[in-house]
């Protein structure tokens, strides 16, 4: 999961490259090289091969996928290589890191003709350097069977997580090293404000909070509702995670607490100083297209940014998109992110 996209439920193997391209006729009996666009992305990127093949056939562009860790690692690499980018287009910089990438000049302006189909709802930049591809809200998840078996109600709100009845039950990710951990921190800041979030985390720490480095460790090792059958029935994960935990009876074994969600959006953009600008723009168009958007829920456990895209059967019941998630503006995140992480470290890890 983001890192974000198996984000939700099970780590999905990423695709490293798409099908080899064939030569194109130059109209004079000769051939020309198929242009190759390097798509720099996170480790959870996955797309059906037939969809990638169809794009190559239609556009004449071959996509080569270059994975760079989770959203945070991806953003760091893009910033460090901005003068001589490692690719032509990037996908996976999310709303917790987008402001940093924009401030550093990683992307160049481009308004896709597909952007007005829904992605513009999540715009963070008046220059349109980033286009929203998917939404993967971070929410607290619970193992419903645990609470049924114990005969106690599952928590529902941020405040509930600090209740002594849930002592030693919550595992969360470090906001300094994991995108969902940062999103959870930002959600508590949006909820309690600058004057209240530290008191809230003090209560969580006193209530037995466990912090681990990343989503995979938290969800697949510590969380009792996943394949790892860990000891803790409450975890910071994604709103879509329950969709991957549906049992043979058709019911999910877990539930996302929709009052604990923070809006997290993943973006794509053309890399400044790249060598394939026009072809890179067409890849951004592809990522926003109906064809690609129709695959993101089933393959990466995220919600499409495009409007009018059908979700897999059952998602409306087991993994509804939160209607009122917490959120901070890109400017707020950029201004406060490093300070908040430093204060969190002092408070929680000391």
């Amino acid at each position: 999961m983001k890192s974000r996209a198996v984000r939700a439920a099970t780590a999905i193997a990423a695709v490293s490259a798409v099908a080899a391209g064939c030569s194109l006729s130059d109209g004079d009996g000769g051939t020309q090289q198929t242009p190759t666009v390097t798509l720099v992305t996170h480790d959870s990127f996955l797309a059906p091969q037939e969809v990638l093949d169809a794009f190559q056939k239609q556009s004449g562009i071959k996509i080569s996928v270059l994975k760079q860790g989770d959203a945070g690692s991806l953003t760091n690499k893009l910033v460090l290589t901005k003068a001589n980018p490692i690719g032509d287009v990037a996908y996976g910089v999310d709303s917790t890191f987008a402001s940093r990438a924009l401030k550093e000049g990683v992307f160049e302006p481009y308004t896709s003709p597909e952007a007005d189909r829904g992605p513009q709802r999540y715009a963070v930049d008046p220059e349109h350097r980033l286009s929203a591809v998917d939404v993967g809200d971070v929410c607290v998840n619970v193992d419903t069977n645990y609470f049924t078996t114990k005969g106690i109600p599952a928590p529902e709100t941020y405040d509930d997580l600090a209740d002594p009845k849930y002592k030693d039950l919550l595992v969360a990710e470090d906001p300094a090293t994991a995108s969902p951990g940062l999103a959870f921190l930002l959600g508590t800041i949006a909820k309690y404000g600058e004057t209240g979030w530290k008191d809230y985390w003090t209560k969580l720490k006193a209530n037995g909070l466990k912090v681990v480095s990343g989503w995979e460790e938290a969800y697949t090792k510590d969380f009792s509702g996943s394949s790892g059958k860990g000891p803790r029935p409450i975890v910071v994960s994604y709103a879509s995670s329950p969709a991957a935990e549906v049992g043979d009876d058709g019911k999910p074994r877990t539930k996302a607490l929709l009052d604990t969600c923070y809006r997290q959006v993943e973006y794509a953009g053309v890399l400044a100083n790249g060598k394939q600008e026009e072809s890179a723009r067409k890849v951004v168009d592809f990522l926003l297209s109906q064809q690609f958007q129709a695959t993101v829920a089933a393959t990466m456990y995220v919600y499409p940014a495009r409007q009018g895209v059908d979700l897999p059967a059952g998602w409306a019941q087991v993994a509804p998109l939160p209607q009122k998630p917490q959120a901070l503006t890109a400017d707020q995140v950029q201004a406060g992110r490093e300070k908040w992480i430093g204060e969190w470290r002092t408070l929680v890890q000391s």
Side-chain angles (χ1 to χ4, degrees):
M1 270 216 65
K2 310 158 170 199
S3 262
R4 195 230 40 128
V6 166
R7 266 172 237 272
T10 178
I12 298 178
V15 191
S16 60
V18 293
C22 25
S23 298
L24 301 176
S25 170
D26 63 7
D28 295 316
T31 59
Q32 64 185 46
Q33 187 72 28
T34 300
T36 297
V37 169
T38 299
L39 172 62
V40 189
T41 186
H42 51 61
D43 285 349
S44 297
F45 175 81
L46 184 61
Q49 189 63 51
E50 61 269 22
V51 174
L52 296 171
D53 289 344
F55 169 71
Q56 182 171 328
K57 182 177 181 180
Q58 175 270 324
S59 67
I61 297 170
K62 175 183 175 180
I63 298 176
S64 177
V65 177
L66 179 61
K67 301 172 290 181
Q68 294 294 314
D70 66 8
S73 298
L74 169 64
T75 304
N76 289 337
K77 190 61 174 286
L78 294 176
V79 169
L80 291 172
T81 61
K82 64 182 181 180
N84 186 23
I86 56 176
D88 305 294
V89 59
Y91 157 63
V93 173
D94 66 33
S95 47
T96 60
F97 293 103
S99 55
R100 182 182 179 216
L102 293 173
K103 181 182 179 181
E104 294 287 345
V106 168
F107 297 98
E108 67 176 36
Y110 174 59
T111 302
S112 171
E114 303 292 331
D116 63 357
R117 307 301 200 276
Q120 79 282 357
R121 293 173 293 168
Y122 307 110
V124 292
D125 174 37
E127 296 181 49
H128 306 289
R129 288 172 289 175
L130 288 174
S131 298
V133 175
D134 62 75
V135 180
D137 288 357
V138 170
C139 312
V140 173
N141 280 218
V142 297
D143 175 359
T144 52
N145 183 63
Y146 174 93
F147 292 102
T148 299
T149 301
K150 295 291 184 179
I152 58 176
E156 297 181 359
T157 66
Y158 284 110
D159 286 345
D160 289 345
L161 301 177
D163 189 310
K165 73 164 62 78
Y166 304 115
K167 186 174 177 63
D168 299 328
L169 301 186
L170 171 63
V171 58
E173 301 85 1
D174 187 332
T177 58
S179 178
L182 178 55
F184 182 55
L185 172 60
L186 297 177
T188 64
I189 293 170
K191 170 69 173 176
Y192 297 104
E194 280 277 12
T195 60
W197 74 266
K198 294 179 189 177
D199 288 340
Y200 176 71
W201 279 89
T202 298
K203 293 176 182 177
L204 288 185
K205 181 179 179 182
N207 209 38
L209 167 71
K210 181 177 181 180
V211 176
V212 297
S213 62
W215 176 87
E216 187 171 355
E217 181 180 357
Y219 196 88
T220 66
K221 295 181 180 179
D222 284 293
F223 182 46
S224 62
S226 71
S227 58
K229 304 299 181 185
R232 294 191 172 228
I234 310 174
V235 64
V236 173
S237 192
Y238 295 85
S240 53
S241 296
E245 301 295 351
V246 176
D248 294 337
D249 59 359
K251 298 178 180 180
R253 297 178 292 268
T254 64
K255 177 182 178 181
L257 308 183
L258 299 186
D259 287 336
T260 67
C261 299
Y262 182 84
R263 174 68 20 112
Q264 189 168 355
V265 181
E266 290 190 319
Y267 296 93
V270 177
L271 292 172
N273 304 311
K275 298 179 176 63
Q276 299 279 349
E277 180 180 334
E278 290 303 317
S279 294
R281 290 180 173 185
K282 292 180 181 179
V283 172
V284 171
D285 296 344
F286 165 64
L287 295 174
L288 303 186
S289 70
Q290 178 75 26
Q291 291 77 10
F292 181 80
Q293 290 281 298
T295 73
V296 299
T299 58
M300 294 189 288
Y301 289 92
V302 288
Y303 307 92
R306 187 184 179 103
Q307 293 173 313
V309 177
D310 292 335
L311 293 173
W315 268 50
Q317 289 72 44
V318 304
L321 184 66
Q323 296 303 303
K324 296 181 179 180
Q326 299 292 334
L328 295 172
T329 67
D331 288 343
Q332 287 175 306
V333 174
Q334 176 62 24
R337 180 176 52 238
E338 298 308 317
K339 176 177 73 76
W340 292 330
I341 290 175
E343 292 172 339
W344 179 92
R345 280 174 162 166
T346 299
L347 185 69
V348 176
Q349 296 183 329
S350 60

